[in-house]
Structure formats: structure tokens, C-alpha cells
Amino acid sequence: PRSTLFPYTTLFRSAREVPGIAALDLGPYAQVTTVSCGAAGNCSAGGTYDRSGHAHVFVVNEAGGTWGTAKQVPGVAKLAAGGPAFLNSISCSSAGNCSAGGQYSEGPSEVILQAFVVSEVNGTWGAAEEVPGTAVLNQGGFAEVNSVSCAPGGTCGAGGTYLDGSGSAQAFVVNKG
């Protein structure tokens, strides 16, 4: 039945476990934190799972209405060097073409967080990279991507937060494409 509040919406299907997340997640939690659809039946989702006692990030793609298998975001483990990472936002400009961002710690004992971005082109996720320019801005040791938005054609923008040298939170923006 259709909702009386939203008569033109179609109801969601039944929820199910993210395919492949059980193989990645060895700890007490896994969560999807962001979803974006580039076309009907073609979405990407991402989030966090626990392995080795701290957070790692994953993405999972839907193609033609079928969800694929969750996989670790390429390159984040190298950036984080054993520390935690979090995926905060994903946006798709078309099916199989997305960008995402979040934050990572530079190691298991580091409290310094850096911002990262990663892009998917034609269904293949590239390696995550530190957001260009944030290492210089982030003198206070806390940077993160909070939001990503992509337009048709692959042009994307991202925004987030960093702490300046006096410990004050500041905003940054960055473009791709």
C-alpha cells in the first residue's frame, strides 16, 4: 500500500545484510553510513566495520538492482597504517562513477586524523588519497570530509573540517573534475 503522507513514493523492499560484510567484520559492529544512487538500481553504499579492534571502511555497489560484495576501500589501510578510518559521505554522478570521503588516523597510536577522498570510475574504485592541501591546513590534527556531491559528468565537490594551529575548527572545500 502507498503511504498517505507520501502517496507518490514506492515502498522500500525488505532490508538484508550487506553481502560480504560478515567476511570483513570481525568485531562487534558494522554500519552503513552513506548511500548514493547514480541511476535506478545502480547505487553505492559505504560505511565502517571492525577488524583488529578498530574501524575500517568499506564500499558496496549495486548494479542492475543486485548488490555486489562489500570490499575494503582501496588504499585506506596504507594511509591509516593500522589506525582507524571512517567513511562519511558518498555521491554518484552516474552508475559506477562515484566519489567518497572520510577520515583516517595515521597509525594505531596516533590521535591525528586526516581527511581522505576516493573515486570510482566505470565501476572500479581507485586508491584513497589524503585530500590535497589539508596536511598544511590541519595543524590541529583533526581533519575530515563531511560531505561529497557529484554532478553528471563526474565533477565532484567535497567539504569538511580541520583544526588550525590555534585549535579552532575551520572549513575546507575541494573540487574534482
Side-chain angles (χ1 to χ4, degrees):
R2 293 187 183 265
S3 164
T4 57
L5 293 175
F6 303 102
Y8 303 107
T9 62
T10 303
L11 296 177
F12 284 81
R13 296 181 196 150
S14 292
R16 62 178 181 231
E17 182 175 291
V18 171
I21 197 65
L24 293 175
D25 184 44
L26 300 178
Y29 71 88
Q31 62 181 339
V32 170
T33 55
T34 182
V35 179
S36 180
C37 299
N42 293 279
C43 303
S44 290
T48 305
Y49 66 93
D50 185 18
R51 191 170 194 96
S52 307
H54 55 80
H56 293 270
V57 293
F58 74 91
V59 288
V60 61
N61 294 330
E62 177 193 35
T66 302
W67 286 98
T69 302
K71 59 183 159 191
Q72 186 175 21
V73 174
V76 173
K78 183 177 178 182
L79 291 172
F86 303 91
L87 189 70
N88 298 336
S89 183
I90 192 169
S91 181
C92 301
S93 60
S94 61
N97 296 287
C98 307
S99 288
Q103 77 235 41
Y104 66 92
S105 176
E106 294 181 323
S109 61
E110 293 289 329
V111 292
I112 297 172
L113 295 176
Q114 299 291 357
F116 77 87
V117 288
V118 62
S119 292
E120 176 191 34
V121 177
N122 297 323
T124 302
W125 286 94
E129 65 176 330
E130 183 177 298
V131 175
T134 56
V136 173
L137 296 173
N138 187 27
Q139 297 302 304
F142 182 93
E144 66 181 339
V145 170
N146 298 109
S147 183
V148 177
S149 182
C150 298
T155 301
C156 299
T161 304
Y162 69 92
L163 293 181
D164 64 19
S166 68
S168 295
Q170 302 294 339
F172 74 84
V173 290
V174 62
N175 292 341
K176 172 197 160 224

